[in-house]
Structures are given as structure tokens and as C-alpha cells.
Amino acid sequence: MQSTRIPRRDWLVGTGASLLSLAASAKAGPTSAQAQAPKNSAAEDADRARRMQWWHEARFGMFIHWGLYSVLGRHEWVMENEGIPVTEYEQLAKRFQPKPNAARAWAKLAKQAGQKYMVMTSKHHEGFCNFDTKLTNYCAPKQGPGRDLVREYVEAARAEGLRFGFYYSLMDWHHPDGARCATNEDARKRFVEYTHGLIRDLMTNYGKVDVLWYDVSWPLDARGWESERMNKMVFELQPDIIVNNRNALPGDFSTPEQEIVADQRGRAWESCMTLNESWGYHQADDAWKTPKTIVRNLVYCAHDAGNYLLNIGPKPDGSIPEDSVRILTEVGRWTSRNAESIHTQDRCQPHRSNYAGFTRKGNTLYMHVYFWPGETVALAGLKTGVKSARLLAGGQQVKFQQDRFRVRFTGLPVEPPDHPVTTIAIECESEPLQDTDFVRRERPRNNV
């Protein structure tokens, strides 16, 4: 992931300014090769739709960044940001001794939070492999852990009925060819074969894998990485898998990072974000997002049929930071009451309110009220007739009045009936559509 602090643009997203999501391009957006995605055949489109159906319905996933950097507890880019020599940094591999089956707590928390899939770092930029391989001794079974940490993660995800995937960093700060592959062809060939071999191990040794999440293609392009051959191997070994766009090919989905941005070409997309400002464990980073911010971000993603991949950075022993548990537990209470409004494949057209966000499933519009106004909640410009309304948490029927310009939901409690966000499910006569420009133009103006 990126080494820089979250820019102000991304911080605004993290605090709820994601209504601007359609106006910007992703920070981790596609390269020119990605932007010029080739036209797919009907058969390719149908196969992608088949492979991705579960992913579109899932909407919410857990990202896990865990590696040698966790031992130092100063951000996952600590090796690079502090200029730590390779020979000094690799000593951390002996000190990395997590407790057995730590991933079981991750999977239980993910399920409790309403997350439907998990993606774990199999190898981050530091080059250390959390999985078993014959291609290097710089891996968990041959170092401090003494066992395959990826296998423990896979077993934990399966035990909770969750889909799972592997994050894999193409960039490698440890391998001797990791940088010189850019200028030395022999080094490039060695490093590409090493990289393809590690990916083959991941695709071969753990049964069915749902997601392959590439990251950081520096210092090569798609041709240098032989990414077409790479993906061909992946799909031959895992025909049902989905892959992202960070090996310099378009892949199956786009990956905006630390911001919520729908792909402007209509492609599938997934916003990956941190709970504080670090991906890996950072013991001094106390910039935690609130549960309300997490729920709002989840709604913003679901509004435009995107996914929300929310990160935790376990401690070196594998335990989850207490603040992460607290936040995700509260989010889980909300998702348990409001799941039907999130796990949907439908894009939502209504978007204008100064205190609410929206999602849709068929003809049902879900109005997520972030800042509760009191006994009456109003929505301007709804062009579709309302048949009924109810509070999604608890199912209480809500009275309403509708005219050409607005619909008013009345008789509501003075205090918000759900926390941190109250959702009103609005059953419409057809797909809900909103036109606030119509209100501005046509609303009667007395004495004018």
C-alpha cells in the first residue's frame, strides 16, 4: 500500500465527505495500460459475472496487514521510511512469533461485523512470505513462526463460512533482484520466475481461493512482469477466482485506496481503507475512525455498487488492537439490523440529502439518516410513488405524506431509534428516482 500519509482529500472521505465520490479519480487508479481496457467477448463478460456474483452481494470485507513490520509497530512501510538495512530488518523474522491460530479471532470478528470475505497479506513489500514455499527461506515456516500462517488464516476463514483471498505485493524490498530487475534483463527474468513461482504456490496449496489482490507493480510494467502469463496461470489453477488491477492489467475490479470513488467506466470497484491511518500495526496511531464513519463509508460504497474492504493491523502476536475490536463490534451491531440495505447488487440513483445517504434493492429505497432531525424526516424530489415505509431496525411502520415535491415521514421518535445510523426502508411503486432540479424549477414561489 502507499507509504504517504492520507492526503486531505482522502481524510475528508474518512470523515464522511464521500458524497463527492463521483467527481474524482482513484488515488490508486489504473495506469494507462489499465485505462485502455480491451473489449471483452460476451463469453468473457458472462464468465466474469459468474465469478463475481458473490463478491457484488458481499459488499463488505476485511483486509488484514500482518508481517514483520508488526513487530516494530511503526507502520507497514517502516523498512523504507526509516531506511533500515536489509540485513538488520531481516532479523525481525526471528522475533516474529505469533500465538497459534490468531486468525480465528480475525474471522470471528469479521463475521460479527457483517463482513463476508477476508483478504490477508501473504507477502508485503518487505518480501517476507507468511506462507510455506520452497523458493525462499524468508518465510514463516522457516523463521520465527515455525508454521504456515496463511494456512491458519485459510482454515479460520472457512470455519466461519467466509470467502477469502490473498494480497500479494509484486514490489519486494528484500529480494536482491527486486530493484535491479528494472535495468538488468537477467535479474528481471530471475525475479519474474520467482514471483510467478510464489503466486503458483498460493494458487496451488490452499484449495479454492476466491480473490487474488495484487499490489504495487514497481518497478516493472505489465510486459516486464509478464502479467498476461501470470494471470493465465492463476485462472488455470483457480478458474473461479477474481483478480484486481494492480499487476498493470485491468483485472476484474478497480481498487481506489483511502477514498470512495466509483469507477467511471462502470467497472466493478472496491474501496480499501484503514481504520486509523496505518495498514500495519502502529501502536502510536490513534486516529481511529468512528463507527458512524465506517457505516457511512459502507453506505457510500453500496450506493454505487462498490465494495468496502476495511483493514485491521494485528499486533505481532496476532491479537487485534482493542480499538479495532471496539469499532467493528459496534459496526456489527448495526449491520446485524440493517444487512438487507447493504448486501445488494443494485446501483442507487437518489443521492441528495444534507443528512442522509441511500442504497437500493429493487424498488426499495433505504434512507440512511446520519444526523437525526427529530419527529419528521423529509426527502425532496422523489419522483416515484411511495407505497409504505418502515424503520429497518425493528420493522415499525412509518407514516408518510407525499406530494409532487417531497415526501415527509412523520410521527418518528425525537431521538434516533437506531445507532449510529437509522435506516428507513421506503417501498416504492417502481425504481426510486430523484430529481431535485425539478423541485428548484417548479416549486411555487408566492408573489413572484
Side-chain angles (χ1 to χ4, degrees):
M1 314 305 289
Q2 299 299 319
S3 65
T4 54
R5 288 176 59 83
I6 302 174
R8 176 171 172 78
R9 176 181 61 175
D10 296 335
W11 177 84
L12 287 170
V13 171
T15 56
S18 306
L19 287 172
L20 298 176
S21 62
L22 294 178
S25 60
K27 180 178 76 178
T31 63
S32 58
Q34 294 165 344
Q36 302 299 321
K39 294 289 185 181
N40 296 317
S41 68
E44 289 172 328
D45 287 341
D47 182 65
R48 176 173 290 120
R50 175 191 66 81
R51 290 184 286 110
M52 297 193 70
Q53 182 175 351
W54 72 265
W55 185 86
H56 283 298
E57 294 171 351
R59 282 289 166 254
F60 194 18
M62 175 182 279
F63 218 175
I64 303 106
H65 276 66
W66 193 44
L68 303 187
Y69 44 83
S70 307
V71 176
L72 295 180
R74 297 196 300 273
H75 197 283
E76 73 287 348
W77 275 64
V78 62
M79 181 182 182
E80 182 96 338
N81 289 345
E82 298 185 11
I84 302 174
V86 169
T87 53
E88 177 184 332
Y89 190 87
E90 64 186 5
Q91 299 308 308
L92 296 172
K94 299 180 177 65
R95 294 169 52 192
F96 186 37
Q97 297 179 340
K99 60 186 178 182
N101 298 307
R104 291 178 181 175
W106 312 345
K108 289 181 184 298
L109 180 61
K111 186 173 183 178
Q112 181 182 359
Q115 295 166 314
K116 302 298 183 182
Y117 62 107
M118 305 170 72
V119 178
M120 175 194 172
T121 47
S122 63
K123 178 178 81 72
H124 203 254
H125 314 327
E126 64 185 9
F128 183 78
C129 298
N130 280 324
F131 57 97
D132 193 12
T133 178
K134 296 178 180 178
L135 299 177
T136 179
N137 290 328
Y138 202 52
C139 63
K142 300 170 187 174
Q143 297 292 334
R147 61 191 193 278
D148 188 332
L149 301 179
V150 164
R151 184 167 301 282
E152 291 184 357
Y153 152 76
V154 169
E155 291 172 352
R158 286 183 175 140
E160 297 300 326
L162 301 173
R163 301 270 188 164
F164 70 88
F166 301 138
Y167 164 109
Y168 182 90
S169 172
L170 297 168
M171 178 169 69
D172 190 318
W173 299 331
H174 178 266
H175 195 283
D177 292 326
R180 68 186 177 199
C181 63
T183 56
N184 182 298
E185 178 61 12
D186 288 338
R188 186 198 69 82
K189 289 180 179 178
R190 287 193 301 268
F191 190 52
V192 166
E193 288 311 305
Y194 173 74
T195 299
H196 285 220
L198 290 180
I199 294 172
R200 176 178 290 276
D201 285 343
L202 288 169
M203 297 296 100
T204 303
N205 296 334
Y206 302 97
K208 185 177 182 294
V209 180
D210 298 299
V211 182
L212 178 55
W213 215 101
Y214 298 114
D215 197 21
V216 187
S217 59
W218 185 92
L220 302 174
D221 58 13
R223 174 183 246 176
W225 285 114
E226 302 180 34
S227 295
E228 293 280 2
R229 180 168 71 90
M230 182 188 296
N231 279 2
K232 183 174 184 292
M233 171 191 69
V234 168
F235 283 110
E236 285 176 350
L237 294 171
Q238 296 283 343
D240 297 326
I241 203 169
I242 60 176
V243 301
N244 73 350
N245 64 339
R246 295 197 181 190
N247 70 340
L249 293 178
D252 294 313
F253 62 97
S254 301
T255 53
E257 181 174 326
Q258 297 289 42
E259 61 183 356
I260 298 173
V261 184
D263 192 291
Q264 296 301 290
R265 297 157 296 176
R267 300 182 73 235
W269 60 279
E270 173 189 73
S271 179
C272 57
M273 300 182 78
T274 50
L275 264 173
N276 49 12
E277 293 188 5
S278 307
W279 296 97
Y281 175 60
H282 194 322
Q283 60 185 0
D285 184 350
D286 59 358
W288 297 100
K289 295 178 177 67
T290 66
K292 177 180 279 191
T293 294
I294 300 303
V295 170
R296 293 183 69 181
N297 287 343
L298 180 56
V299 168
Y300 287 138
C301 288
H303 177 274
D304 291 318
N307 282 22
Y308 188 32
L309 188 63
L310 183 61
N311 184 74
I312 64 168
K315 297 178 182 181
D317 68 352
S319 60
I320 309 167
E322 293 77 6
D323 285 299
S324 297
V325 175
R326 172 184 56 80
I327 294 165
L328 287 175
T329 298
E330 186 169 337
V331 170
R333 295 190 188 105
W334 185 87
T335 57
S336 69
R337 298 186 295 266
N338 296 275
E340 74 174 68
S341 66
I342 297 299
H343 301 296
T344 168
Q345 293 197 46
D346 296 329
R347 292 177 182 267
C348 183
Q349 187 270 339
H351 65 282
R352 292 294 297 274
S353 171
N354 61 3
Y355 54 73
F358 304 90
T359 55
R360 177 179 72 91
K361 182 178 250 184
N363 294 340
T364 303
L365 177 66
Y366 299 97
M367 186 174 184
H368 303 275
V369 185
Y370 309 134
F371 309 119
W372 190 253
E375 297 177 349
T376 300
V377 170
L379 176 60
L382 188 64
K383 303 293 290 183
T384 313
V386 174
K387 297 166 61 178
S388 65
R390 59 188 165 91
L391 294 175
L392 190 53
Q396 177 185 339
Q397 291 298 303
V398 174
K399 297 178 182 178
F400 67 93
Q401 301 166 358
Q402 185 174 20
D403 59 32
R404 293 175 64 210
F405 302 104
R406 65 176 177 170
V407 56
R408 300 172 69 241
F409 303 97
T410 62
L412 294 165
V414 174
E415 298 297 324
D418 199 6
H419 181 78
V421 172
T422 295
T423 303
I424 301 174
I426 306 166
E427 302 294 337
C428 299
E429 294 175 350
S430 57
E431 180 183 334
L433 299 173
Q434 183 188 37
D435 185 354
T436 54
D437 289 342
F438 165 81
V439 176
R440 187 181 305 164
R441 289 191 312 266
E442 302 297 329
R443 180 174 49 193
R445 287 166 168 78
N446 293 337
N447 302 319
V448 175

